[in-house]
Amino acid sequence: MQLKDKIAFITGSASGIGKEIAVMYAREGASIVIADLNKQAADATAAELAATGAKAIGVAVDVTDEDQVNAAVEQAVAAFGGIDILVSNAGIQIVHPVEEFTFADWKKMLAIHLDGAFLTTRACLKHMYAQGRGGTVIYMGSVHSKEASLLKAPYVTAKHGLIGLCKTVAKEGAKHNVRANVICPGFVRTPLVEKQIPEQAKTLGITEDEVIRNVMLKETVDGQFTTTDDVARVALLFAAFPTNALTGQSLVVSHGWFMQ
Ligand code: NAD
């Protein structure tokens, strides 16, 4: 029970990586806020957790909307009495070559990944600072926080940007015992990635199998996808770490695709 009595606000946790983190945190004793655009899926995930004896609620939020984010965090605080852990995880992917990206898609990507991270951080930090018991902020970066790939200009830009936000929050939060870190996964077979496989095959003019072998997993040490469980384990490490010794860091979990 490494997170006993902690309260975790996890965005994008009705699916994929965020959901796995919610399950692991619940197992470790945390109360969970499933904060997601998809309210029906958020409620269903919260019900699944509650069925295991955990405390969990689903909250509807679009992380790009300032008022919705503030309201969702207040709803979480009203339900559980505070916030100890923020996992800023909600994200989408849109792939095009730079010269074909519409400005609207560029702005949508930066809004979800960067505005969402800022807005949730600001709303949660206020409570973490006021509570006086410290806290942890975890950003879902990517190998694309360190490395570029074809067709992903706004994603790569936003994921690099999260490292800057994290380092600043780590410095400002230190005196309140609030830590900030980034997890940088390689490819994980969630709906976000399943959608990209046919899209990339079409754009690059190769088969779906070639996208997996020669694009997604080519640089890994063993040709393996990273799993949601791999990422959730790192999220638990960051959430449970007790001191400011581990702050301002970004940890790559990618089967060796990217080595620092
Ligand atoms: P996913 O599609 O399975 O889940 C994303 C969740 O975010 C969904 O439940 C969706 O409803 C929610 N969401 C989308 N837009 C939202 C918004 N505006 N406000 C609130 N919620 C919103 O995707 P995933 O693969 O689990 O991705 C989660 C995070 O992990 C993303 O930030 C993604 O960039 C990152 N990531 C994924 C991979 C991968 O290979 N899957 C690798 C590295 C990083």
Side-chain angles (χ1 to χ4, degrees):
M1 284 289 191
Q2 295 183 63
L3 302 178
K4 194 169 171 339
D5 299 330
K6 301 289 185 198
I7 301 146
F9 187 96
I10 310 172
T11 69
S13 49
S15 174
I17 292 171
K19 183 170 179 178
E20 190 77 37
I21 293 172
V23 169
M24 190 168 287
Y25 282 8
R27 206 181 297 141
E28 293 294 332
S31 300
I32 308 294
V33 183
I34 306 289
D36 202 287
L37 192 60
N38 185 337
K39 171 76 164 111
Q40 208 181 350
D43 285 343
T45 304
E48 279 174 41
L49 294 180
T52 68
K55 286 191 203 152
I57 56 167
V59 172
V61 67
D62 178 345
V63 296
T64 68
D65 185 301
E66 183 175 11
D67 291 339
Q68 286 190 34
V69 169
N70 290 339
V73 170
E74 291 315 311
Q75 204 181 326
V77 170
F80 294 131
I83 304 276
D84 299 292
I85 303 161
L86 164 64
V87 184
S88 172
N89 165 79
I92 62 164
Q93 180 62 280
I94 303 174
V95 292
H96 296 293
V98 174
E99 72 278 12
E100 289 174 20
F101 248 105
T102 65
F103 191 31
D105 278 347
W106 167 269
K107 285 197 280 197
K108 184 176 179 184
M109 287 294 288
L110 265 55
I112 293 174
H113 291 276
L114 287 179
D115 298 356
F118 162 69
L119 291 171
T120 50
T121 299
R122 190 182 61 177
C124 290
L125 278 185
K126 283 178 186 162
H127 289 284
M128 289 178 186
Y129 290 176
Q131 288 160 197
R133 58 176 193 254
T136 296
V137 179
I138 297 167
Y139 298 104
M140 196 53 63
S142 165
V143 164
H144 291 111
S145 299
K146 312 272 182 181
E147 185 70 86
S149 287
L150 298 173
L151 313 177
K152 296 188 175 173
Y155 189 82
V156 170
T157 302
K159 291 299 190 189
H160 274 67
L162 288 176
I163 291 187
L165 176 62
C166 163
K167 288 177 177 174
T168 309
V169 172
K171 288 201 170 186
E172 292 184 10
K175 63 177 179 292
H176 301 280
N177 207 23
V178 170
R179 293 168 282 287
N181 293 288
V182 185
I183 304 174
C184 300
F187 281 100
V188 183
R189 284 199 93 152
T190 65
L192 180 142
V193 161
E194 295 296 348
K195 176 174 167 284
Q196 283 174 60
I197 296 170
E199 287 174 358
Q200 293 215 25
K202 195 169 165 223
T203 312
L204 298 172
I206 56 179
T207 67
E208 294 190 13
D209 192 46
E210 285 168 334
V211 171
I212 293 171
R213 277 188 293 109
N214 300 341
V215 179
M216 294 183 163
L217 304 179
K218 184 167 182 243
E219 303 293 337
T220 62
V221 294
D222 53 8
Q224 298 292 314
F225 277 99
T226 302
T227 66
T228 54
D229 181 68
D230 296 326
V231 182
R233 285 169 190 270
V234 177
L236 178 59
L237 167 76
F238 281 140
F241 202 85
T243 73
N244 284 343
L246 188 59
T247 194
Q249 303 305 305
S250 46
L251 184 57
V252 181
V253 50
S254 71
H255 283 258
W257 165 13
F258 181 85
M259 298 191 190
Q260 320 237 25

